[in-house]
Amino acid sequence: MEFETLVKAAQWAGVEDPRLLAALATTPRDRFVPPRHADRAPFDEPIPIGHGQPTSQPSLIAQMIDALRLSGTEKVLEIGTGYGYQTALLARMARQVYSMERHADLARHARANLAAAGVTNAETVVGDGTAGLPEHAPFDAIVVSATARTVPAPLAEQLAEGGRLVMPIHEELNETVVLFGKRHDRLVQERLLTPARFVPLIGEHADDPPPEP
């Protein structure tokens, strides 16, 4: 199955990193969606994966990963594994990926999908993503695939000094993916990436979910 359409969509969205574009071209997205939707994998569109949530369109995933500026040496925390597609891309870009998923069945699918794709440097953990994984902190980069009004405090604490965190932030009727950096032990907003629509972040350290549209 060819994935050049996904590469072109990412380039159109401003992604230029050759390593990330190569990962998009060679990561078999059809293995990371429910089999009944495999024919939609080459297209830059969200695909439902159960529990009322989708796997995001690859161009959006690529923008979020691109903002982390991964060089290949980093330890990354991902919140929201889904079927493991973004996890697989992160694993191509970083040294080690820890991914948290609150639905055990999705985590099982992700582990199987990652193993089938030959990914060996990613670990999927079932748990509350808003609490992070303090036993593996600090993380050089964190990516959150669910929206909230603020970054959960544990995630901010577990980000390494100089690290980068990407997360969709909800304000009133707007939702924007935001890049944060950590400087002098504080999380600082660096830039807005793109408008988007994500499922609400759920967990002990999440704030109130956004209102229904």
Side-chain angles (χ1 to χ4, degrees):
M1 188 173 287
E2 298 294 331
F3 299 102
E4 288 303 318
T5 300
L6 304 184
V7 175
K8 292 178 180 177
Q11 290 174 316
W12 182 260
V15 176
E16 299 179 350
D17 186 332
R19 294 173 61 238
L20 180 51
L21 295 175
L24 284 168
T26 57
T27 299
R29 192 185 184 216
D30 54 311
R31 297 184 184 179
F32 292 93
V33 299
R36 65 183 180 280
H37 296 309
D39 60 336
R40 297 169 56 184
F43 302 104
D44 188 44
E45 62 182 29
I47 295 177
I49 56 173
H51 298 282
Q53 60 191 52
T55 177
S56 298
Q57 62 266 39
S59 62
L60 175 56
I61 292 173
Q63 288 180 77
M64 295 173 71
I65 294 176
D66 190 50
L68 298 175
R69 296 182 185 174
L70 300 173
S71 66
T73 62
E74 297 85 1
K75 180 169 57 173
V76 179
L77 176 64
E78 176 190 32
I79 306 302
T81 315
Y83 261 52
Y85 179 67
Q86 180 174 262
T87 317
L89 294 175
L90 287 167
R92 292 281 298 274
M93 302 293 293
R95 176 177 58 85
Q96 178 68 42
V97 180
Y98 292 94
S99 185
M100 298 195 69
E101 172 56 55
R102 69 189 188 91
H103 297 291
D105 59 326
L106 293 183
R108 286 194 299 271
H109 285 301
R111 291 190 189 105
N113 295 339
L114 291 164
V119 176
T120 59
N121 61 328
E123 180 178 335
T124 302
V125 179
V126 177
D128 179 356
T130 69
L133 285 175
E135 62 270 32
H136 294 294
F139 298 97
D140 303 298
I142 298 175
V143 57
V144 183
S145 298
T147 184
R149 299 184 188 278
T150 60
V151 176
L155 300 185
E157 293 167 2
Q158 291 170 35
L159 184 65
E161 181 69 19
R164 300 163 76 82
L165 183 149
V166 172
M167 176 177 169
I169 298 296
H170 182 89
E171 293 182 355
E172 297 181 355
L173 299 178
N174 298 317
E175 188 175 317
T176 306
V177 180
V178 181
L179 170 65
F180 298 89
K182 193 167 186 179
R183 297 195 293 271
H184 306 295
D185 206 34
R186 294 184 61 186
L187 208 60
V188 178
Q189 180 176 309
E190 294 193 352
R191 63 186 174 95
L192 308 180
L193 299 182
T194 182
R197 176 71 68 178
F198 284 80
V199 297
L201 183 64
I202 297 174
E204 180 182 355
H205 302 279
D207 48 25
D208 294 335
E212 292 293 328

